[in-house]
Amino acid sequence: MNKEEILELILQGSIKISKQKNILSGMNTVDIAEIFEKLDREKLLQMFRILPKAIAADVFACMDSAQQQIIIEALTDSEIGEIMKKLFVDDAVDFIEEMPANVVRRVLLNVMPAKRKLINQILQYPDDSAGSIMTTEFVDLREDAEVHEAFDTIRGTGLNKETIYNCYVIRRDRLLVGMISAKTLMLARPHERIGDIMDTNHVFACTTDDREAIADQFKKYSLLAMPVVDKEQRLVGIITVDDIVDVIVEENTEDIEKMAGLVPSDDPYLKTSVFQHAKNRFLWMLILMLSATITGTIISTFEEGLEAMAILMAFVPMLMNTGGIAGSQASTLIIRGMAVGEINLKDILLILWKELRVGIICGVTLGLVNFVRVFIMNNQNTLLSLTITLSLFCTILVAKIVGSVLPIFAKRLKIDPAIMSTPLLTTIVDAVSLIIYFSIARLFFSF
């Protein structure tokens, strides 16, 4: 039975509660959360209450913040305490960060003191830091312990840990000295010392490291988890790959929104109010609208010539659109290259040389096609065809160079390169393309 069929049965109420419970018990917790997204408030609370306690917290962690709030507000204090007890610390932090203050206060009042302390500690880290996405539920082993003792530790504590596939080796002062995988432990002899078989060539993060840099390291080293240490190199937590996937999705979404001239938002599209959508879009629309004053001024400067050669205006949209696309292509590739670590600030000369050649090839090819098109469609007007062709070639060349340099320039100034992509690039390329076009036209037609 697929999710759609199960949802239909739940909505129709055609099966008994006990049967619903049995069906949900055999499902993946993510799939259950997706089914719950389609339920109204009353049905959501009813279905959540029949979930087996063993999976209720996992399902809760997979829900969106709006549904989590509905559930928390309907639960008793003891039920909240039970949910929070079973939530991993990083999931609890993610949930709390999305809740209003009154809900947060109630939740924290029903959390065990030790866990509340860990949650508050993680909440104090900057949002974009490694500390903000780490969990404190991991397996640590003593350097001087033997393999059979390590297995005893894992059996005794592993059930409440987020992962047991990698264990982290510490000294008595909690100084991180190495790591050891479950595979290594299983293949080792019972009385071998952990310090003798651990991997000391491990990758780790500091609590203040930028989470985007951490995501790059996960990709580079193909990691499933990474230990996190404080300034004294003491082990304080780990970051798991599921949290890194969330970081990548959030950062990519933010970059796409900025490149489209939007104020980034964490809320889903359909759950964001019309007013909020308008607010997120208004700023760059206003900036681009006002920046059109520049292009208007340029056009008015050549007004007399345009009156004499009105046909020139017919080609303005084509030049501006082609230049905008050429610049956006270059900037998108550069931003993507910087995001995945393929491009550094020191590569600017290599980038300029490459984009210059790309611009020449594209400019010559498109220019020749355009020359033939304008020549045929405008009574074989060679001078007009040559004007449009040269303007197009120069516009593409300039757009490619500007589009590749702006993101690097932004990075050097510690500004998000995505901001320099479409909104600012469009204004610059439009203005430059008009200046080039009208200057060449004035030269050829002497107006």
Side-chain angles (χ1 to χ4, degrees):
M1 208 181 312
N2 59 39
K3 288 185 292 185
E4 288 71 24
E5 292 172 335
I6 295 171
L7 175 61
E8 189 65 27
L9 290 173
I10 291 174
L11 292 175
Q12 291 175 356
S14 56
I15 54 176
K16 295 180 179 180
I17 295 295
S18 58
K19 178 67 173 176
Q20 293 178 5
K21 184 175 182 179
N22 289 336
I23 292 174
L24 294 176
S25 299
M27 292 181 64
N28 185 284
T29 53
V30 175
D31 292 333
I32 297 173
E34 288 183 358
I35 289 176
F36 283 7
E37 286 181 6
K38 307 295 191 300
L39 304 178
D40 59 30
R41 185 180 187 281
E42 183 179 346
K43 201 67 177 176
L44 170 64
L45 294 174
Q46 177 188 338
M47 297 307 299
F48 187 81
R49 288 188 182 280
I50 69 171
L51 284 177
K53 292 183 178 180
I55 65 170
D58 291 334
V59 173
F60 182 84
C62 297
M63 292 179 177
D64 64 40
S65 57
Q67 289 187 310
Q68 288 176 333
Q69 184 174 347
I70 290 172
I71 289 171
I72 287 296
E73 289 176 344
L75 295 180
T76 63
D77 288 350
S78 61
E79 288 172 327
I80 292 174
E82 192 66 27
I83 291 289
M84 296 303 296
K85 180 180 178 181
K86 293 181 179 179
L87 274 183
F88 290 119
V89 170
D90 57 336
D91 291 330
V93 169
D94 290 341
F95 154 64
I96 287 173
E97 284 181 326
E98 299 296 325
M99 292 297 107
N102 61 317
V103 176
V104 172
R105 281 194 296 271
R106 187 177 174 218
V107 168
L108 291 179
L109 285 174
N110 292 283
V111 178
M112 296 294 289
K115 193 165 191 174
R116 186 190 309 131
K117 181 179 178 181
L118 291 174
I119 291 172
N120 286 328
Q121 177 185 336
I122 293 176
L123 287 171
Q124 290 175 2
Y125 290 110
D127 290 340
D128 58 352
S129 68
S132 68
I133 57 172
M134 72 179 184
T135 182
T136 56
E137 284 127 342
F138 55 88
V139 177
D140 54 43
L141 303 172
R142 295 291 185 186
E143 184 181 22
D144 54 358
E146 295 183 348
V147 170
H148 70 92
E149 294 175 321
F151 278 119
D152 289 340
T153 299
I154 294 171
R155 291 190 194 97
T157 63
L159 187 62
N160 298 319
K161 305 301 181 184
E162 185 144 343
T163 178
I164 61 172
Y165 303 115
N166 287 318
C167 302
Y168 303 93
V169 186
I170 58 174
R171 293 177 182 161
R172 295 190 180 277
D173 55 2
R174 298 200 61 78
L175 186 72
L176 178 66
V177 293
M179 62 171 290
I180 189 166
S181 66
K183 178 181 178 180
T184 302
L185 285 173
M186 287 186 284
L187 296 176
R189 296 182 180 85
H191 292 287
E192 283 191 90
R193 185 172 169 272
I194 296 297
D196 295 332
I197 58 174
M198 68 181 181
D199 180 11
T200 57
N201 187 26
H202 56 277
V203 181
F204 63 90
C206 292
T207 52
T208 54
D209 286 350
D210 185 85
R211 64 181 194 171
E212 279 193 81
I214 303 300
D216 291 338
Q217 289 186 305
F218 265 79
K219 178 177 178 287
K220 180 178 180 179
Y221 296 105
S222 301
L223 300 175
L224 293 177
M226 179 188 291
V228 181
V229 299
D230 61 15
K231 294 179 180 179
E232 286 76 36
Q233 302 296 300
R234 293 175 300 192
L235 182 63
V236 293
I238 64 169
I239 298 172
T240 51
V241 69
D242 59 314
D243 295 312
I244 287 299
V245 170
D246 291 339
V247 169
I248 293 171
V249 170
E250 289 174 14
E251 296 296 339
N252 286 345
T253 300
E254 182 179 321
D255 285 346
I256 290 171
E257 290 175 337
K258 286 180 178 179
M259 289 171 71
L262 296 169
V263 176
S265 172
D266 294 328
D267 299 324
Y269 175 84
L270 293 176
K271 294 184 178 179
T272 303
S273 68
V274 172
F275 177 78
Q276 188 62 43
H277 272 303
K279 181 180 177 182
N280 291 344
R281 305 177 193 189
F282 176 78
L283 178 61
W284 275 109
M285 289 176 68
L286 176 64
I287 292 173
L288 290 177
M289 182 190 73
L290 295 176
S291 68
T293 306
I294 299 173
T295 56
T297 302
I298 294 171
I299 292 174
S300 64
T301 303
F302 296 91
E303 187 174 359
E304 291 183 8
L306 291 173
E307 289 176 357
M309 290 288 297
I311 193 173
L312 292 174
M313 283 301 298
F315 298 97
V316 168
M318 180 272 293
L319 287 171
M320 293 174 68
N321 289 339
T322 305
I325 292 171
S328 293
Q329 288 174 339
S331 67
T332 299
L333 290 174
I334 300 304
I335 290 170
R336 186 261 176 193
M338 290 193 294
V340 299
E342 294 176 355
I343 295 174
N344 298 311
L345 297 179
K346 63 182 180 180
D347 298 323
I348 185 168
L349 293 179
L350 292 174
I351 293 168
L352 283 173
W353 174 231
K354 184 176 288 291
E355 288 300 322
L356 181 65
R357 288 177 291 167
V358 171
I360 290 173
I361 293 172
C362 291
V364 169
T365 305
L366 292 175
L368 289 174
V369 173
N370 197 63
F371 182 90
V372 174
R373 180 181 72 89
V374 176
F375 187 78
I376 293 173
M377 295 179 66
N378 291 274
N379 301 319
Q380 300 181 358
N381 189 330
T382 304
L383 208 54
L384 177 63
S385 301
L386 190 59
T387 299
I388 306 302
T389 299
L390 286 176
S391 299
L392 183 64
F393 174 80
C394 294
T395 296
I396 291 174
L397 206 60
V398 171
K400 291 290 185 187
I401 293 173
V402 173
S404 60
V405 169
L406 272 182
I408 298 174
F409 181 67
K411 191 76 172 178
R412 187 174 292 277
L413 295 178
K414 301 188 184 303
I415 302 172
D416 192 332
I419 296 175
M420 293 290 195
S421 181
T422 303
L424 188 56
L425 180 63
T426 299
T427 301
I428 296 174
V429 171
D430 284 354
V432 172
S433 64
L434 287 176
I435 293 172
I436 291 172
Y437 179 41
F438 293 140
S439 297
I440 292 176
R442 172 179 280 179
L443 180 66
F444 282 2
F445 294 102
S446 302
F447 58 77

